[in-house]
Amino acid sequence: DADVTQTPRNRITKTGKRIMLECSQTKGHDRMYWYRQDPGLGLRLIYYSFDVKDINKGEISDGYSVSRQAQAKFSLSLESAIPNQTALYFCATSDPSAGSVNEQFFGPGTRLTVL
Amino acid sequence: SQQGEEDPQALSIQEGENATMNCSYKTSINNLQWYRQNSGRGLVHLILIRSNEREKHSGRLRVTLDTSKKSSSLLITASRAADTASYFCATPLGGGSNYKLTFGKGTLLTVNP
């Protein structure tokens, strides 16, 4: 079974709709991250959470919000989707007990299309 | 803003050849990581090199780090068609030892059978 799962894997929605992307992990990691990937732009950090009570904005948080429901769950919401939020979204986790080694473990991604 | 940047953007080679891709970064770091991404899938960690290391090996992978030039290279020896993927370098965001990463735009490697 995958350690980091994302749902849905694909989603097509319309401008103005509220969308929630979910991420669950069984790795027991405290740290979780949301990224978006656009062709030719690499990955950009949207939000990150170092534990259930700690939520931080990343590089491109405008238009997004997150919720850390439990250590294992981190959701990303688009309150009112717009076409330029069409992208591939990834959730990732890392283990703070690894010290300065910040290897991240990625989910399979959610392909979101906003029409 | 992105800290690391890979070069070349795309690389096409024949099976059995070696593939070298480079990463340049802007500020001091205490480690640098390389990840692989198969088309449309999640990234997979390949190897990490610390700032006090100059070279590291893992199977067919060889990574070098030159902190004076702020650059790293990833060499894949005896490439296989299954190595076809995008490769990203990742460095701590802000250049320090905090636990966020910034990724470059990647090198798309195509290995032709």
Side-chain angles (χ1 to χ4, degrees):
Chain A
D1 287 341
D3 295 319
V4 184
T5 57
Q6 293 183 234
T7 56
R9 294 294 311 279
N10 289 282
R11 182 72 183 267
I12 299 174
T13 190
K14 295 182 179 180
T15 297
K17 294 290 187 181
R18 184 178 188 275
I19 296 297
M20 178 180 285
L21 309 182
E22 300 188 345
C23 176
S24 295
Q25 52 115 347
T26 58
K27 300 189 74 69
H29 291 171
D30 285 331
R31 294 181 178 154
M32 299 187 73
Y33 309 80
W34 275 105
Y35 294 91
R36 67 176 278 176
Q37 184 177 34
D38 299 275
L41 292 180
L43 278 78
R44 291 181 291 169
L45 183 63
I46 306 172
Y47 269 97
Y48 61 101
S49 170
F50 283 176
D51 64 40
V52 174
K53 298 179 182 178
D54 179 76
I55 303 288
N56 302 280
K57 293 182 177 181
E59 303 171 74
I60 53 162
S61 58
D62 287 349
Y64 301 94
S65 62
V66 291
S67 172
R68 185 81 184 266
Q69 300 95 324
Q71 186 205 40
K73 295 184 182 297
F74 192 35
S75 300
L76 176 72
S77 294
L78 288 68
E79 296 301 326
S80 179
I82 55 177
N84 76 1
Q85 291 178 313
T86 292
L88 192 53
Y89 289 85
F90 289 102
C91 173
T93 72
S94 68
D95 178 9
S97 68
S100 64
V101 176
N102 190 28
E103 176 184 351
Q104 295 190 8
F105 298 85
F106 283 79
T110 294
R111 187 169 296 279
L112 177 66
T113 303
V114 183
L115 302 176
Chain B
S1 61
Q2 287 170 311
Q3 156 87 306
E5 192 160 323
E6 295 87 350
D7 171 67
Q9 291 186 343
L11 180 61
S12 182
I13 60 174
Q14 296 300 121
E15 211 164 22
E17 294 180 341
N18 296 341
T20 299
M21 50 208 91
N22 305 295
C23 171
S24 59
Y25 57 92
K26 298 174 184 174
T27 59
S28 296
I29 55 173
N30 69 352
N31 69 77
L32 183 145
Q33 302 178 41
W34 285 91
Y35 287 78
R36 182 188 72 226
Q37 182 184 31
N38 291 92
S39 180
R41 308 185 75 167
L43 279 71
V44 175
H45 180 264
L46 292 176
I47 195 167
L48 176 145
I49 187 165
R50 300 180 191 274
S51 58
N52 61 355
E53 298 175 310
R54 290 296 169 261
E55 187 171 311
K56 197 165 183 179
H57 297 255
S58 177
R60 293 184 296 112
L61 304 180
R62 172 178 167 255
V63 169
T64 63
L65 180 64
D66 186 334
T67 54
S68 66
K69 295 181 180 178
K70 293 187 172 58
S71 67
S72 174
S73 67
L74 171 66
L75 169 66
I76 304 174
T77 60
S79 63
R80 305 167 182 168
D83 294 328
T84 294
S86 292
Y87 292 82
F88 296 86
C89 65
T91 53
L93 190 61
S97 61
N98 66 37
Y99 301 107
K100 306 188 300 292
L101 292 178
T102 183
F103 292 83
K105 297 178 183 179
T107 292
L108 175 60
L109 173 65
T110 302
V111 181
N112 301 299

